[in-house]
C-alpha cells in the first residue's frame, strides 16, 4: 500500500519534472544551458531579493531594515511579498553569482510539486490513485497561468497550496476535520499573502460547492458545520497576524493605497477574443502586461469539460452546481468590480487576471468528474464537445481579426492586436486530434498513452509559445560580471566610512541582461548603501521627496540615482560613484560628503518642499540647513531665446551667461530626455544610459562665472524664456558649507546591517542632528542612553535635538506591528487548539449519549 502511494505521488512529481526539463532544455536555459531568464520582474526584482535572502541565510545575519533599499527602508514587506516560500531555503546551496540558476531550479521544483498536491486532491475527491489522475495533474501544473507567469516564481506556491485548501474544505464538510484546512489557509497566506488572499475567497466558493454536492444546506447540522468552517477560517487568517500586521504597516506607505473609482465600475474586462486563451499561444511574453485571462488547460481537458455539460450521464443538479463554481470564478474575472476585489482592491499594474489559475483548477476538476462519469464512452458527446471546442477557438480568433477593423470603421484610431494564425491552426489541429484519441480510447485502452503524450505536447508547445517572444540573459556573462563588480564594490566599501552611500551608475551586468538594465537594485544585489530601488514596496514619501530634489522616477515602484547634484550628493552622504566604461571600472570619490548624520541649523524644522521646483528646493534647503539666506544656486542671465520647427519637434536656442563658477544644471518638469537633444556650445550633452521619460536634473558641465553659453534644446515640449531652467551652483560658497557639515558629522561605528545605527559626535552648540534616513515609526533614538524624540523633516528625513557636548547616539529599528503580530498570532494559535479540544469533547459527548 505504501509502495503504491509512493509510486503515485512520485510519478506525479517526476512526470512534471520531465516536462519542465524538456521545456527549459529546449530553450537552453540553465541548468541545461547557458541562457537564463533575466527578463521582466525575475531579472529586475526577484533576482536581487533572492540574492539578499541568500546572503542573510548564509551569514546568519538576518536583518529587517536595509540601507540598500533606496535611502533605507523596512525590508519586512519585501520578505513577506517575495521571499517566504520554503523552497527559498535551497538558496544556501548556491553561490550569489548562481542565483539565476537557483531561480530556474526553484521554478522547476515548484511546478513539479504542483503535480503532487493536485494528485492528492484528485485522490481525496475521487477516492482512487489512478494513473489517469496524472493526466489532469499535467494540465494543472502547465495551465495558462503557469506558462504566462512562471517567472513570477513567488506566485507558484499558491498553485501548490490551492489543491490542499480544496481538500481542507472537503475534510471540514465530510469528516468534520479542521487541521488541514486551518494550516493550508495559514501557510497560503504566509507563503504569499497576495494570492493567499485569493485562496481565502476560493475556499468560500468551494465550501458552497461541496456543500451543495453533499446536500449540506438541507441537513440538521448545517449551521454547526458552517459555524465551525467560519471559525476555522477566521482563526487561520488571524494566525497570520505576525505576517500581515507588519506588512500592512509597511504597505500603507506605498502606492498600493491609491484609490481609483474606475476600478470599481461594473464594466467588462474582455470579450470573445479571450477565447483564444483556450488554445496554444493565446498570449506571449510580449503581451505579459495586457492580455486576456490565461486559462489554457489543453484540448483533452477542454473537450472533457464541455462533455460534462453535454452528457446525459451527468445530472442537471451536478451541472448546476458546477455552473455555480465556474460561473462565480468567471464573473470575478469578467466584471471589473469583482476583478478589483479579487486583486486586493487594486487594479493590477500589468500581469492581469492573476486569479485565472483558480478558474483553470475548477475547469480541470470538472473535466476529471466528466472522466469519472464515463463521458468518454459517449461517442456523440465527445464528437459534439470537440466541435464546440473548435468553434470556441474559431470565435476567439475571428473576433481578434474583426475587432480592429470594426473599431477603424467606427472612426476610432486603429489598434494592433497581436495574434498568430499559426497557433490558430495548431490549436484547431490539437482539438481535432484530441477528440479523435478520446473516441479511439473506447476501442483500445492503449490510446491512453497517446493521450498522455498529446497533453504533454500541448503543455510544452503552449509554454514555448510564451518563451518564444522572450529574450534570455547569458549566465556565463552574468557570473563573470557579477564577480568583477562585487570585487570592486568590496574594495570601495572597505575604504569608505560606514555612514556613506555609493552609486553604481553603469554596471557590467548590463552585458548579461537581454533588456536594458538600469541598476535600480544594484545596492541590494551587492549589499551597499545606495539611492535607487525598484520594488512594489517602495515608500512613497521617500519617492516624493527624491522627486522634489530632482531625482528621476519612472513610476511609483522605481526611484533612480539619476538626477542628483553635488548638493544632493552631500545631503545624502554619497561618497563614491562607480561605473564601468570601456570594460574598466572607474571610481569617483566625493571627499567632501558628510555621513548619514550631521549637525544643521534649527531652520530645518520649518523647511517645506515645493512640487516641481527641484533646484529651488535644493537652494532653500541648503539655506535652512546653514541658517542663512545665501544664494547657493543662481539663475543664469538669459539674453535671448529663438524657436524654430525642425521636423515634428521644436528647436530652442538660448543665449545665456552663468552667474557663478561651478556646475550648471538644467531642470524642467516634465521633460522627456529620451526624445530630446541638448547641446551646449555645439557639444551634445549625454543624458542618461536609462530612458528618462520625466523630470530629472541634468548636469550640463562646469563653467566659470560670466561664461557665455549657447544652449540648444530639440524637444517636443513647449519651453519658454525662463532663467530658472538653468542654474549654477556657487561651488566656492557651497564647499565652505559642506566642510562645516563634514566636520560636524556623526562618526558611525556600527555595521548598518544590524538594524542599528551607532555613532559619536561632538556638538559645539545646541543643534539638530539631520539624518538622511527616511522617517519611519520603527526607529527609536537614544542619546547617551536616554530616549529622545525623532522629528520628521525635509518631507521624509529624520532629525533629533542634541545639546552641546560629546554624545553617543544610537538608533534602533523594530518593524512596526511585528511585536503585536506575534502576540496576536500566538493567542490565536492557542484559541485554535482550544477550538479543536472543545470540538473533540463535544463530539465525544454526542457519541456517548447517542
Amino acid at each position: 500500500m505504501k509502495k503504491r502511494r509512493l509510486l503515485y505521488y512520485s510519478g506525479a512529481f517526476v512526470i512534471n519534472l520531465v516536462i519542465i526539463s524538456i521545456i527549459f532544455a529546449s530553450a537552453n536555459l540553465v541548468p541545461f544551458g547557458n541562457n537564463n531568464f533575466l527578463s521582466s520582474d525575475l531579472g529586475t526584482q526577484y533576482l536581487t531579493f533572492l540574492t539578499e535572502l541568500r546572503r542573510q541565510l548564509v551569514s546568519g545575519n538576518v536583518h529587517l531594515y536595509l540601507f540598500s533599499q533606496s535611502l533605507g527602508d523596512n525590508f519586512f514587506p519585501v520578505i513577506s511579498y517575495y521571499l517566504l516560500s520554503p523552497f527559498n531555503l535551497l538558496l544556501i546551496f548556491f553561490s550569489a553569482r548562481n542565483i539565476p540558476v537557483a531561480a530556474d531550479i526553484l521554478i522547476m521544483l515548484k511546478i513539479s510539486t504542483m503535480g503532487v498536491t493536485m494528485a492528492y486532491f484528485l485522490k481525496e475527491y475521487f477516492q482512487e490513485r489512478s494513473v489517469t489522475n496524472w493526466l489532469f495533474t499535467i494540465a494543472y501544473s502547465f495551465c495558462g497561468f503557469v506558462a504566462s507567469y512562471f517567472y513570477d516564481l513567488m506566485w507558484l506556491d499558491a498553485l501548490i497550496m490551492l489543491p490542499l485548501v480544496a481538500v481542507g474544505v472537503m475534510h471540514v464538510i465530510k469528516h468534520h476535520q479542521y487541521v488541514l484546512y486551518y494550516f493550508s489557509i495559514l501557510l497560503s497566506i504566509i507563503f504569499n499573502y497576495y494570492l493567499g488572499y485569493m485562496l481565502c475567497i476560493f475556499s468560500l466558493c468551494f465550501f458552497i460547492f461541496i456543500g451543495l454536492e453533499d446536500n449540506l444546506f438541507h441537513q440538521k447540522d448545517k449551521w454547526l458545520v458552517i459555524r465551525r468552517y467560519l471559525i476555522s477560517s477566521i482563526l487561520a487568517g488571524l494566525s497570520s497576524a505576525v505576517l500581515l500586521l507588519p506588512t500592512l504597516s509597511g504597505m500603507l506607505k506605498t502606492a498600493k493605497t491609491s484609490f481609483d473609482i474606475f476600478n470599481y465600475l461594473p464594466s467588462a474586462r474582455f470579450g470573445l477574443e479571450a477565447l483564444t486563451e483556450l488554445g496554444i499561444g493565446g498570449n506571449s511574453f510580449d503581451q505579459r502586461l495586457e492580455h486576456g485571462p490565461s486559462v489554457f488547460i489543453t484540448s483533452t481537458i477542454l473537450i472533457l469539460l464541455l462533455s460534462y455539460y453535454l452528457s446525459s450521464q451527468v445530472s442537471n443538479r451536478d451541472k448546476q452546481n458546477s455552473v455555480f463554481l465556474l460561473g462565480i470564478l468567471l464573473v470575478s474575472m469578467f466584471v471589473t468590480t469583482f476583478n478589483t476585489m479579487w486583486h486586493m482592491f487594486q487594479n493590477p499594474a500589468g500581469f492581469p487576471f492573476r486569479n485565472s489559475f483558480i478558474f483553470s483548477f475548477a475547469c480541470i476538476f470538472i473535466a476529471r468528474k466528466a472522466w469519472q462519469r464515463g463521458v468518454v464512452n459517449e461517442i456523440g458527446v465527445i464528437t459534439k464537445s470537440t466541435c464546440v471546442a473548435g468553434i470556441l477557438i474559431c470565435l476567439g480568433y475571428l473576433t481578434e481579426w474583426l475587432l480592429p477593423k470594426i473599431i477603424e470603421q467606427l472612426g476610432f484610431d486603429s489598434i494592433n492586436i497581436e495574434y498568430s494564425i499559426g497557433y490558430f491552426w495548431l490549436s484547431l489541429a490539437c482539438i481535432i486530434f484530441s477528440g479523435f484519441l478520446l473516441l479511439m480510447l473506447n476501442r483500445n485502452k492503449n490510446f491512453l498513452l497517446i493521450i498522455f503524450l498529446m497533453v504533454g505536447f500541448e503543455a510544452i508547445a503552449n509554454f514555448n509559445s510564451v518563451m518564444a517572444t522572450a529574450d534570455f540573459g547569458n549566465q556565463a556573462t552574468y557570473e563573470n560580471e557579477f564577480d568583477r563588480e562585487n570585487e570592486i564594490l568590496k574594495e570601495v566599501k572597505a575604504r569608505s566610512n560606514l555612514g556613506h552611500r555609493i552609486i553604481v551608475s553603469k554596471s557590467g551586468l548590463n552585458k548579461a541582461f537581454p533588456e536594458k538594465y538600469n541598476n535600480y537594485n544594484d545596492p541590494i544585489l551587492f549589499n551597499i548603501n545606495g539611492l535607487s530601488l525598484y520594488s512594489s514596496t517602495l515608500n512613497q514619501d521617500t519617492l516624493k521627496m527624491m522627486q522634489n530634489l530632482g531625482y528621476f522616477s519612472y513610476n511609483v515602484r522605481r526611484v533612480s540615482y539619476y538626477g542628483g547634484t553635488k548638493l544632493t550628493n552631500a545631503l545624502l552622504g554619497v561618497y563614491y560613484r562607480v561605473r564601468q566604461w570601456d570594460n574598466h571600472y572607474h571610481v569617483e570619490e566625493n571627499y567632501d560628503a558628510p555621513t548619514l548624520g550631521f549637525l544643521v541649523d534649527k531652520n530645518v524644522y520649518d523647511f517645506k518642499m515645493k512640487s516641481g521646483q527641484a533646484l529651488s528646493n535644493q537652494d532653500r534647503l541648503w539655506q535652512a540647513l546653514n541658517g542663512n539666506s545665501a544664494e547657493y544656486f543662481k539663475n543664469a542671465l538669459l539674453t535671448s531665446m529663438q524657436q524654430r520647427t525642425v521636423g515634428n519637434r521644436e528647436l530652442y536656442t538660448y543665449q545665456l551667461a552663468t552667474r557663478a563658477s561651478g556646475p550648471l544644471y538644467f531642470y524642467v518638469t516634465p521633460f522627456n530626455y529620451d526624445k530630446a537633444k541638448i547641446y551646449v556650445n555645439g557639444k551634445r550633452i549625454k543624458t542618461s544610459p536609462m530612458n528618462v521619460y520625466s523630470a530629472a536634473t541634468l548636469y550640463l558641465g562646469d563653467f566659470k562665472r560670466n561664461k557665455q553659453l549657447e544652449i540648444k534644446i530639440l524637444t517636443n515640449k513647449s519651453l519658454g524664456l525662463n532663467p530658472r531652467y538653468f542654474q549654477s551652483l556657487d561651488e566656492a560658497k557651497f564647499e565652505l558649507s559642506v566642510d562645516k557639515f563634514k566636520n560636524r558629522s556623526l562618526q558611525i561605528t556600527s555595521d548598518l546591517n544590524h538594524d542599528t545605527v551607532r555613532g559619536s559626535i561632538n556638538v559645539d552648540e545646541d543643534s539638530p542632528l539631520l539624518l538622511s534616513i527616511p522617517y519611519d515609526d520603527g526607529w527609536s533614538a537614544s542619546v547617551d542612553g536616554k530616549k529622545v524624540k525623532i522629528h520628521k523633516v525635509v518631507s521624509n528625513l529624520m532629525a533629533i535635538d542634541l545639546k552641546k557636548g560629546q554624545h553617543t547616539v544610537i538608533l534602533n529599528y523594530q518593524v512596526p506591528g511585528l511585536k503585536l503580530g506575534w502576540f496576536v498570532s500566538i493567542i490565536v494559535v492557542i484559541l485554535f487548539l482550544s477550538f479543536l479540544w472543545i470540538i473533540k469533547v463535544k463530539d465525544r459527548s454526542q457519541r456517548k449519549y447517542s
Side-chain angles (χ1 to χ4, degrees), residues 208-231:
I208 297 173
F209 171 78
I210 297 296
L212 291 172
E213 273 201 338
D214 281 24
N215 206 28
L216 168 67
F217 304 110
H218 293 90
Q219 296 176 10
K220 292 182 179 180
D221 64 346
K222 61 181 178 181
W223 292 115
L224 176 67
V225 175
I226 293 173
R227 183 167 62 250
R228 289 179 176 180
Y229 162 75
L230 292 176
I231 291 173

Side-chain angles (χ1 to χ4, degrees), residues 194 197 201 256 258-260 263-264 337 339-347:
Y194 183 72
Y197 160 81
I201 301 177
K256 296 286 186 181
S258 60
F259 176 81
D260 188 346
N263 293 335
Y264 293 88
T337 310
N339 185 68
T340 302
M341 293 168 63
W342 270 77
H343 290 82
M344 293 192 78
F345 300 91
Q346 289 289 319
N347 187 41

Side-chain angles (χ1 to χ4, degrees), residues 41 194 256 288-289 346-352 354 555-557:
D41 287 350
Y194 183 72
K256 296 286 186 181
R288 62 192 180 278
L289 298 181
Q346 289 289 319
N347 187 41
F351 309 107
R354 301 174 186 182
N555 56 31
V556 295
R557 298 182 301 281

Side-chain angles (χ1 to χ4, degrees), residues 209 308-309 317-327 366:
F209 171 78
Y308 188 80
Y309 297 99
R317 179 172 175 270
D318 286 341
K319 291 177 183 179
Q320 291 169 1
N321 292 340
S322 64
V323 165
F324 160 79
L325 180 62
L326 292 182
I366 300 301

